Amino acid sequence: MVGKRKYDDGCAVAHALDVVGERWMLLVARELLFGPKRFTDLRDGMPGVSADVLTQRLRDMTASGIVQRRKLPAPASSWVYELTEWGMELEPIVIQLGRWASRSPALPHDGEIGIDSLVVSLRALFDPRAATGLDVTIALKLGEQQFRIKVSDGRLDLARGAADHADVTMDTDSRTLAAVLHGGRPLTDALASGSLVVDGPLPLVERFLGLFPLPEPAPLAAHH
């Protein structure tokens, strides 16, 4: 990490910013929360980052012990990046940061959102009280990616991969799901257009979509 400006502060918060405070670093961690990714997959999830910058961030995060690179076994045999055990400890920090920022009055709700960032937002916004008495397994398909979501006992368990014996299957894209969740698009409209295809009881889908309410925006400071 030669050339990086550092805080030169003994505080652990300052050191954390030395380690992951460079632009794109926490988004790299966000993209790797659900498992390893190839370089091209990382770029797909962060379309605003250049290849050179992403390469440097991965190099820095590897040197810091947050990310590691390994080769998948045959037949894939491709190189992937993944969070180390220590790097995975960033998960609750990233989730809580997303939960905190969801109260920002300036949050661009109409901005583009990638698949992993949308799924991370489900963890950040999940309301256990709204899930009282609900026991459901959801198979969520977002393009070519699949996620299994289990809601039970007021808890949300979410992982990448296919779901066996799902109560509901939802096949859509991140833009449609974000619009239905928080963009004001009616579920019936998404279903009628075919951009959201559901296999399972609609009342369960409606209940599930209601588990992720946006919190009240933080008040702006009064000007005197």
Side-chain angles (χ1 to χ4, degrees):
M1 291 185 280
V2 177
K4 279 187 63 178
R5 288 187 293 179
K6 304 183 75 171
Y7 288 102
D8 291 325
D9 190 319
C11 170
V13 174
H15 180 65
L17 292 175
D18 282 337
V19 174
V20 294
E22 287 287 307
R23 193 177 184 205
W24 300 108
M25 281 186 169
L26 281 177
L27 297 190
V28 170
R30 179 198 71 192
E31 290 297 307
L32 296 177
L33 287 180
F34 298 109
K37 282 189 172 186
R38 298 173 300 172
F39 185 88
T40 52
D41 296 327
L42 282 169
R43 282 207 69 190
D44 287 344
M46 299 182 294
V49 69
S50 70
D52 287 345
V53 170
L54 180 56
T55 297
Q56 185 61 52
R57 295 298 179 265
L58 289 168
R59 185 178 294 131
D60 291 344
M61 294 174 78
T62 300
S64 297
I66 302 166
V67 166
Q68 60 190 12
R69 185 171 179 256
R70 68 179 172 91
K71 191 172 186 179
L72 294 176
S77 300
S78 54
W79 287 94
V80 294
Y81 293 90
E82 63 187 357
L83 293 172
T84 62
E85 184 177 347
W86 183 51
M88 278 301 299
E89 292 180 24
L90 281 168
E91 179 176 7
I93 298 167
V94 172
I95 299 298
Q96 186 59 40
L97 192 61
R99 184 178 293 121
W100 174 79
S102 67
R103 296 195 64 215
S104 168
L107 181 66
H109 293 292
D110 57 348
E112 286 292 326
I113 186 167
I115 290 176
D116 280 52
S117 53
L118 178 61
V119 175
V120 166
S121 77
L122 297 182
R123 282 191 174 176
L125 297 173
F126 176 69
D127 182 359
R129 295 168 298 181
T132 301
L134 181 62
D135 189 345
V136 65
T137 299
I138 305 282
L140 178 61
K141 298 179 181 179
L142 296 170
E144 296 181 356
Q145 299 196 44
Q146 299 184 61
F147 296 87
R148 54 184 180 273
I149 304 172
K150 173 70 174 176
V151 179
S152 181
D153 299 323
R155 290 185 53 199
L156 175 75
D157 292 312
L158 198 158
R160 194 187 305 277
D164 296 328
H165 312 298
D167 302 297
V168 173
T169 297
M170 299 171 61
D171 192 343
T172 185
D173 57 85
S174 56
R175 179 193 290 267
T176 298
L177 184 56
V180 171
L181 280 170
H182 302 128
R185 184 176 184 183
L187 174 60
T188 51
D189 179 70
L191 291 169
S193 71
S195 57
L196 171 61
V197 177
V198 167
D199 181 7
L202 278 184
L204 267 183
V205 176
E206 293 171 339
R207 177 84 188 276
F208 171 73
L209 293 173
L211 301 180
F212 312 97
L214 284 173
E216 285 293 318
L220 291 172
H223 296 285
H224 298 286

